[in-house]
């Protein structure tokens, strides 16, 4: 009978935290960060800050925002595409995402809804598509700078056909986001966006998954098949079983068992051989964590089931929950302390008066509001307020003694 290495769920947590630069190790470069995270999700909500800004701050601290914008738009080291959701991904990894672009160009792979929409509106959509691409050939534009017809809107959609078609051609990789004006996307032709060094090869489904599965496992430290599918190129893992089998046979991956409360957790868990030495150090006790706040969409906790399994931390976004029914708040930042998720901060940045408002701090059951813990959490809040350029912090319902 095969004997698998046993790893405690505490060690799995620490490995994931280290692989995602949330421990006390030296801060990475932008390139290193994106290489190891795989992607950073984008979201328009700016209640505190946009999620990608929070993800970078949690790991890099007071990073040079102008340098990051240059990394993003002048170097074009990252581009916007689908990963966890709409995300920033490495341009170096273009072949991974080109696979999805190719699939999206074949109507046979479209949803039945999209197929029906295009079929029923062919007389409008075909000439409008040609018009949009012609306009972008003249140079980058905001969607509002391209005129077009409307249809009935919805809660999520104002009815304008131009933005909807731009998203369609973005998924196909024919147009790209080439800049931002505030939160508005500036669109351009993809052929005009890519730097000369972008890899041009086309990968097979197995090659894509062989690369992506390793990327996801390393970002997670140790992961099951279902957890891999929810990370990096979410739900885009063709031939995953075949890839995992081959990677395990060649020794790139090692099957391990994860234990929690003296019980072996279900499923096949995979560890990458590049992380064995780091795991050994962790299990020898050579590991140091820190206290920080996480974005609601942070890579560490984006798989809610995994977060509950390994951290016993139940977290859901309450943005779309009616205010009276919210348990914790509109935009709540989980508190990471060493390898534990100890609570959450309900906060908002009031940019009209430049005040960071900490409305509530909730601690998990059995987490005591000690003085030392208060100092660490307060320090993290102050650091975030400084990153947001807040001139003051307004404290609401927080544990006694934590207002400093």
């Amino acid at each position: 009978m095969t004997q698998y290495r046993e790893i405690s769920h505490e060690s799995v947590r620490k490995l994931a935290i280290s692989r995602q630069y949330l421990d006390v190790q030296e801060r990475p470069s932008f390139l290193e960060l994106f290489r190891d995270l795989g992607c950073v999700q984008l979201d328009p909500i700016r209640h505190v800050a946009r999620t990608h800004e929070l993800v970078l701050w949690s790991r890099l601290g007071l990073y040079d925002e102008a340098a990051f914008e240059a990394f993003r738009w002048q170097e074009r080291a990252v581009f916007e595409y689908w990963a966890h959701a709409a995300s920033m991904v490495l341009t170096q990894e273009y072949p991974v995402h080109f696979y999805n672009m190719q699939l999206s160009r074949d109507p046979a792979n479209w949803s039945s809804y999209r197929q029906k929409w295009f079929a029923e509106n062919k007389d409008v959509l075909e000439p409008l598509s040609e018009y949009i691409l012609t306009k972008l050939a003249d140079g980058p534009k905001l969607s509002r700078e391209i005129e077009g017809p409307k249809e009935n809107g919805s809660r999520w959609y104002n009815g304008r056909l131009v933005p909807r078609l731009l998203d369609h051609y973005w998924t196909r990789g024919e147009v790209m986001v080439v800049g931002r004006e505030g939160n508005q996307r500036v669109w351009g032709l993809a052929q005009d966006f890519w730097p000369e060094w972008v890899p041009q090869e086309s990968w097979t489904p197995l090659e894509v998954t062989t690369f992506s599965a390793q990327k996801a496992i390393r970002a997670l430290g140790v992961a099951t098949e279902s957890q891999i599918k929810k990370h990096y190129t979410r739900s885009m893992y063709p031939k995953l079983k075949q890839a995992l089998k081959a990677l395990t046979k060649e020794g790139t991956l090692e099957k391990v068992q994860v234990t929690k409360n003296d019980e072996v957790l279900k499923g096949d868990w995979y560890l990458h051989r590049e992380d064995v030495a780091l795991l050994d150090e962790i299990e020898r006790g050579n590991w140091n964590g820190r206290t920080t706040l996480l974005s609601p969409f942070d890579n560490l906790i984006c798989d809610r089931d995994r977060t509950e399994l390994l951290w016993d931390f139940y977290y859901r976004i309450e943005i779309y929950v009616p205010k009276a029914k919210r348990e914790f708040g509109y935009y709540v930042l989980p508190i990471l302390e060493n390898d534990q998720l100890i609570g959450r901060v309900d906060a908002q940045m009031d940019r009209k008066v430049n005040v960071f408002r900490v409305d509530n701090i909730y601690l998990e059951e059995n987490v005591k509001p000690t003085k030392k813990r208060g100092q660490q959490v307060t320090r993290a809040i102050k650091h975030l307020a400084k990153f947001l350029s807040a001139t003051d912090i307004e404290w609401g319902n927080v544990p006694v003694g934590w207002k400093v």
Side-chain angles (χ1 to χ4, degrees):
M1 183 176 179
T2 304
Q3 293 294 313
Y4 295 121
R5 176 173 181 166
E6 285 195 3
I7 308 171
S8 70
H9 76 295
E10 291 92 345
S11 292
V12 173
R13 292 197 305 243
K14 291 175 181 178
L15 181 57
I17 288 166
S18 290
R19 290 292 300 131
Q20 296 196 26
Y21 297 101
L22 287 164
D23 58 2
V24 296
Q25 67 182 290
E26 184 178 348
R27 301 303 93 200
S29 66
F30 295 132
L31 187 62
E32 290 169 329
L33 181 62
F34 275 86
R35 179 199 65 203
D36 290 335
L37 290 183
C39 64
V40 174
Q41 188 169 333
L42 295 164
D43 190 85
I45 296 170
R46 201 180 176 218
H47 195 70
V48 173
R50 295 198 175 97
T51 186
H52 71 275
E53 296 169 339
L54 291 171
V55 169
L56 267 61
W57 166 80
S58 294
R59 292 154 174 84
L60 304 177
L62 302 177
Y63 66 91
D64 187 332
E65 295 177 70
F68 178 70
E69 291 301 294
F71 173 79
R72 187 178 181 184
W73 301 119
Q74 277 72 59
E75 298 176 37
R76 301 185 181 185
V78 293
F79 66 99
E80 296 188 16
Y81 197 64
W82 296 108
H84 283 178
S87 304
M88 287 183 283
V89 295
L90 276 177
T91 304
Q92 291 176 351
E93 295 169 8
Y94 173 74
V96 173
H97 307 288
F98 181 61
Y99 172 75
N100 187 33
M101 294 173 186
Q102 288 180 301
L103 287 180
S104 300
R105 293 173 187 179
D106 184 350
N109 296 318
W110 299 354
S111 67
S112 57
Y113 174 80
R114 176 163 295 195
Q115 290 177 348
K116 182 180 178 182
W117 184 63
F118 268 87
E120 292 179 347
N121 297 278
K122 181 179 179 180
D123 292 343
V124 173
L125 297 181
E126 285 190 355
L128 181 58
S129 296
E130 184 177 343
Y131 172 72
I132 290 170
L133 297 176
T134 300
K135 293 291 287 184
L136 292 181
D138 294 334
K141 290 176 177 59
L142 296 164
S143 67
R144 66 171 180 262
E145 295 176 314
I146 305 174
E147 296 180 0
K150 296 183 69 172
E151 62 181 2
N152 292 332
S154 68
R155 178 182 178 185
W156 312 107
Y157 167 56
N158 66 9
R160 287 195 65 226
L161 293 178
V162 168
R164 194 168 177 183
L165 281 172
L166 283 168
D167 279 331
H168 172 71
Y169 283 100
W170 173 53
T171 302
R172 291 161 58 106
E174 295 177 49
V175 304
M176 298 302 295
V177 180
V178 300
R180 290 268 181 171
E181 287 189 14
N183 200 39
Q184 298 297 308
R185 293 177 289 185
V186 179
W187 295 98
L189 295 179
Q191 64 193 38
D192 298 331
F193 174 81
W194 301 116
E196 292 181 0
W197 50 264
V198 64
Q200 296 289 344
E201 61 266 28
S202 180
W203 289 0
T204 67
L206 184 58
E207 287 174 325
V208 168
T209 297
T210 298
F211 179 91
S212 300
Q214 293 181 76
K215 194 89 168 175
I217 291 167
R218 296 209 66 199
L220 294 170
V222 178
T224 65
E225 183 178 336
S226 64
Q227 292 168 2
I228 294 166
K229 290 177 180 178
K230 294 179 182 178
H231 208 76
Y232 185 42
T233 51
R234 185 174 290 166
S235 302
M236 287 294 299
Y237 287 91
K239 301 183 181 295
L240 179 57
K241 290 185 184 297
Q242 182 180 344
L244 292 174
K245 183 177 181 180
L247 288 166
T248 303
K249 184 177 181 179
E250 71 185 29
T252 300
L253 299 180
E254 175 187 347
K255 280 188 181 182
V256 298
Q257 289 184 331
V258 177
T259 61
K260 179 180 179 182
N261 301 327
D262 298 321
E263 294 185 3
V264 176
L265 297 181
K266 293 180 180 179
D268 291 329
W269 294 74
Y270 295 90
L271 168 70
H272 199 283
R273 66 184 173 193
E274 294 293 329
D275 293 322
V276 171
L278 177 56
L279 178 61
D280 290 342
E281 286 296 305
I282 289 170
E283 293 189 327
R284 282 195 286 266
N286 298 326
W287 188 85
N288 291 293
R290 58 191 175 92
T291 298
T292 191
L293 309 179
L294 302 178
S295 160
F297 304 99
D298 194 277
N299 298 55
L300 189 71
I301 60 168
C302 63
D303 181 347
R304 307 305 189 199
D305 293 335
R306 175 183 161 96
T307 302
E308 289 177 47
L309 179 65
L310 295 178
W311 276 272
D312 296 312
F313 189 80
Y314 181 86
Y315 184 82
R316 295 293 184 274
I317 296 284
E318 295 186 292
I319 291 168
Y320 304 114
V321 176
K323 186 174 182 179
K325 295 184 178 181
R326 290 177 192 148
E327 184 177 3
F328 296 109
Y330 178 83
Y331 201 84
V332 175
L333 311 176
I335 305 168
L336 177 67
E337 179 189 82
N338 298 319
D339 71 315
Q340 302 278 354
L341 291 168
I342 64 165
R344 45 202 103 197
V345 176
D346 171 23
Q348 59 179 312
M349 178 61 193
D350 189 338
R351 292 176 174 82
K352 292 181 179 179
V353 293
N354 216 29
V355 172
F356 187 47
R357 304 190 191 280
V358 180
D359 296 324
N360 297 283
I361 296 179
Y362 303 98
L363 296 180
E364 292 295 282
E365 188 177 356
N366 300 323
V367 174
K368 296 180 180 179
T370 64
K371 181 178 180 181
K372 181 179 179 181
R373 177 166 284 137
Q375 290 172 340
Q376 293 170 336
V377 174
T378 299
R379 186 181 300 117
I381 290 171
K382 287 184 173 182
H383 194 270
L384 177 55
K386 184 176 181 180
F387 172 70
L388 298 172
S389 299
T391 55
D392 197 10
I393 301 174
E394 185 177 286
W395 301 90
N397 179 32
V398 304
V400 175
W402 282 27
K403 304 175 187 179
V404 180

